Amino acid sequence: MNLKKHSKNIKIESKIKMNRTVVSYTSFIIVVLAILVAAFIGYGSIGYNSSQNFQVIQSVNGNMSVNGVGGYYMRFFPSVWEYPKNKAESTDNDGIQVYFKNKGTGSISAQVIYRLYNDEKQILSMHEYARGDINKIDDIILARLKEIIKIVASNMSSSEAIERSADMTKAISNQIVNDKNLLDKGIKVEQFAFTEITFDKITTEQFAVQQKIELDKKNAEANMVKFETEKKETEA
């Protein structure tokens, strides 16, 4: 009788241990799932933005907003596109091939600094075009820059481009900075500068000859002044 009772007790204890094991595993799984859910919610509800960039944010209900403040912020599973506030872009390494009105040719390399972080309306206009791809912005700026440079160069002779490079820079800068096509897309070019200008061999040789003529002329004028001064001193 005692043996049966002892066996029964063992079975009960074994069942209790088994139930405890099942409860422990279940609790462990619940804790792991809770951690995963919390991590998933945390990842989806906390965003970060660098102070050098701004973000276009589309919420789950489709509303669009712009965040230009650096740091962490609360969100709820939105779609986020990130852009730099300011960016420098250069022309191709080979430069832009131009033709002057005197049939001379040249190659112009340039750089612009542009700004995308303007008012919200302009930003959303830019985003509609770019959709997060900054290369599209670079492409449209370079395409317009090349067009402007070629037009300005075609209205100058190669010698004028050499002698009046400041005027050429100003003409291109005014057009690219105030270009309506870019402004309508929310792109504001703030600075323009030449990085290199090279001319064809004939133009370079002609300019060298012209410089020599100008130098000889100045030397002749200086010698004439010197001669007249010495003559007056001798007569005195």
Side-chain angles (χ1 to χ4, degrees):
M1 189 73 177
N2 290 335
L3 184 61
K4 289 182 178 180
K5 185 176 181 180
H6 179 69
S7 177
K8 186 176 181 180
N9 289 339
I10 292 175
K11 289 181 179 180
I12 293 172
E13 290 177 0
S14 177
K15 188 174 182 180
I16 291 172
K17 289 181 180 180
M18 186 178 296
N19 289 339
R20 287 177 178 173
T21 302
V22 171
V23 170
S24 296
Y25 278 126
T26 302
S27 300
F28 174 75
I29 292 172
I30 291 172
V31 170
V32 170
L33 289 175
I35 293 173
L36 291 176
V37 170
F40 179 71
I41 294 175
Y43 176 79
S45 61
I46 299 176
Y48 175 77
N49 180 49
S50 167
S51 60
Q52 303 299 315
N53 302 325
F54 68 92
Q55 296 174 333
V56 175
I57 303 171
Q58 183 175 22
S59 65
V60 290
N61 61 7
N63 291 333
M64 305 292 290
S65 62
V66 177
N67 175 36
V69 180
Y72 292 93
Y73 61 93
M74 296 302 296
R75 65 182 192 177
F76 187 70
F77 300 100
S79 297
V80 179
W81 296 268
E82 190 168 276
Y83 299 94
K85 292 180 178 179
N86 296 282
K87 188 174 185 293
E89 180 60 28
S90 299
T91 57
D92 300 334
N93 293 330
D94 295 334
I96 300 169
Q97 301 304 307
V98 296
Y99 297 88
F100 300 99
K101 67 180 182 181
N102 64 338
K103 309 303 181 183
T105 62
S107 176
I108 295 176
S109 297
Q111 182 184 69
V112 295
I113 295 177
Y114 65 86
R115 179 177 178 84
L116 299 177
Y117 188 53
N118 303 299
D119 62 75
E120 185 166 311
K121 183 179 179 181
Q122 287 182 306
I123 289 173
L124 294 180
S125 175
M126 176 277 301
H127 175 68
E128 185 177 344
Y129 172 80
R131 301 303 294 178
D133 187 354
I134 196 67
N135 291 325
K136 290 184 178 180
I137 303 297
D138 293 341
D139 290 344
I140 192 173
I141 291 175
L142 290 180
R144 189 68 185 116
L145 180 60
K146 289 178 181 179
E147 184 178 350
I148 291 172
I149 287 177
K150 287 183 176 183
I151 292 173
V152 171
S154 68
N155 291 318
M156 305 179 73
S157 67
S158 52
S159 59
E160 287 174 334
I162 295 173
E163 296 170 351
R164 296 165 45 204
S165 60
D167 293 339
M168 187 178 182
T169 300
K170 185 177 179 181
I172 295 172
S173 180
N174 286 340
Q175 290 191 47
I176 193 69
V177 167
N178 298 299
D179 187 78
K180 191 174 184 303
N181 185 39
L182 297 178
L183 293 174
D184 287 345
K185 286 183 168 63
I187 304 168
K188 174 63 176 175
V189 174
E190 296 189 326
Q191 294 181 34
F192 164 82
F194 288 125
T195 54
E196 185 180 14
I197 304 178
T198 57
F199 297 91
D200 61 272
K201 185 178 180 181
I202 294 176
T203 297
T204 304
E205 290 175 349
Q206 288 177 343
F207 186 69
V209 171
Q210 184 179 342
Q211 282 185 313
K212 186 176 185 307
I213 293 173
E214 291 292 330
L215 181 61
D216 291 343
K217 182 180 177 181
K218 289 180 180 179
N219 286 335
E221 290 174 351
N223 289 332
M224 180 60 71
V225 170
K226 181 180 179 181
F227 173 77
E228 292 294 335
T229 302
E230 290 177 348
K231 182 180 180 181
K232 288 180 180 179
E233 290 176 351
T234 301
E235 291 176 350

